[in-house]
Amino acid sequence: MVFPVSFGWIQMVLLVLGIAAIGLLVTAVLKARKVGWRVLVGRGIGAMGLVLVAVVILWITTLLQAFLGLTGEVKAAHIEAKPVAGQEHMLNVDLTLYGDEDHGDQHKTYQVEGDMWVLQANIVELEAWVNALGFNAGYKVTRLYGQRLDGIATKQNQIFLNGSDADFYQDMKDKTWYTRPFVRSANGNAVIAIAGSYDVFISRDAIKARPV
């Protein structure tokens, strides 16, 4: 299971804004203590202004980071799928799974029965406030198989890509992943597409493919 962390220059700017806002808030409180809270009500306009600016900056920073966390995606795979010449309902699927600093990229070609390919992943959806800290959903791409456009069931078994995912579903059955307040849900999710070239992305709660 991979839990990507998005921490680039945008997060650095938001972090600086957050620190600045907290600094303003502390400055305002110290000024209020120095002149007295009663005096602050009457003539502590400067301190109250600092508090207001700090609160606004913190609010904007939180909203921006939450937006980035909720809309963030990780490029997990690339697929080139082509019909097998001379064979009906068969696809050659050239699959690249992208890794991270702890997992290398994987590249392999498979032949699947069907007119459409299906790529399945295990996804651990994090709570929104965890996404706001820069953490993306945890994921593991686990299965590849095909489906026919006419709805007839295929006879080919599903292909495991990163070992069996039985332990994930056992954990889900035992509610191991439901460790609030960090994890919102854990489930299997799949993307289905016809032959073509696609980039596959993982969002906070889904796997999706975009033609390239």
Side-chain angles (χ1 to χ4, degrees):
M1 188 68 62
V2 178
F3 286 87
V5 178
S6 299
F7 198 85
W9 68 269
I10 295 179
Q11 283 73 26
M12 287 295 295
V13 170
L14 294 178
L15 179 61
V16 170
L17 286 176
I19 293 174
I22 294 173
L24 286 173
L25 192 58
V26 171
T27 301
V29 171
L30 292 176
K31 186 172 182 179
R33 291 186 62 183
K34 184 177 180 179
V35 302
W37 291 100
R38 290 186 179 181
V39 176
L40 179 66
V41 175
R43 35 176 215 168
I45 298 177
M48 290 300 292
L50 287 176
V51 171
L52 180 60
V53 171
V55 169
V56 170
I57 292 177
L58 279 174
W59 177 63
I60 293 175
T61 302
T62 302
L63 286 180
L64 287 174
Q65 185 58 63
F67 175 78
L68 292 173
L70 295 176
T71 58
E73 295 178 333
V74 176
K75 189 175 180 180
H78 178 77
I79 279 184
E80 300 276 350
K82 300 178 181 178
V84 177
Q87 297 187 53
E88 285 191 323
H89 312 300
M90 293 295 295
L91 292 175
N92 276 327
V93 179
D94 189 69
L95 172 65
T96 300
L97 295 177
Y98 298 118
D100 57 16
E101 58 184 23
D102 297 318
H103 307 81
D105 294 352
Q106 301 178 48
H107 180 229
K108 195 172 181 180
T109 299
Y110 303 90
Q111 191 169 97
V112 299
E113 180 186 354
D115 309 298
M116 304 177 291
W117 57 266
V118 183
L119 194 65
Q120 183 174 312
N122 300 333
I123 298 179
V124 177
E125 181 188 9
L126 302 176
E127 292 289 355
W129 71 268
V130 182
N131 291 132
L133 296 177
F135 292 91
N136 294 298
Y139 76 91
K140 180 181 178 182
V141 180
T142 56
R143 301 185 187 213
L144 173 69
Y145 53 98
Q147 289 187 355
R148 290 177 49 158
L149 284 169
D150 56 17
I152 297 176
T154 61
K155 298 178 182 179
Q156 181 186 29
N157 292 332
Q158 297 177 2
I159 301 168
F160 286 116
L161 300 174
N162 282 305
S164 172
D165 55 3
D167 56 342
F168 174 85
Y169 289 103
Q170 185 61 47
D171 287 343
M172 195 169 86
K173 179 180 178 182
D174 298 336
K175 297 187 177 180
T176 305
W177 285 115
Y178 290 80
T179 52
R180 292 185 181 277
F182 305 105
V183 174
R184 187 176 187 183
S185 68
N187 57 76
N189 197 269
V191 60
I192 306 172
I194 59 173
S197 179
Y198 300 86
D199 282 332
V200 179
F201 296 86
I202 302 288
S203 65
R204 69 188 296 260
D205 59 357
I207 180 173
K208 60 193 73 174
R210 296 195 182 99
V212 294

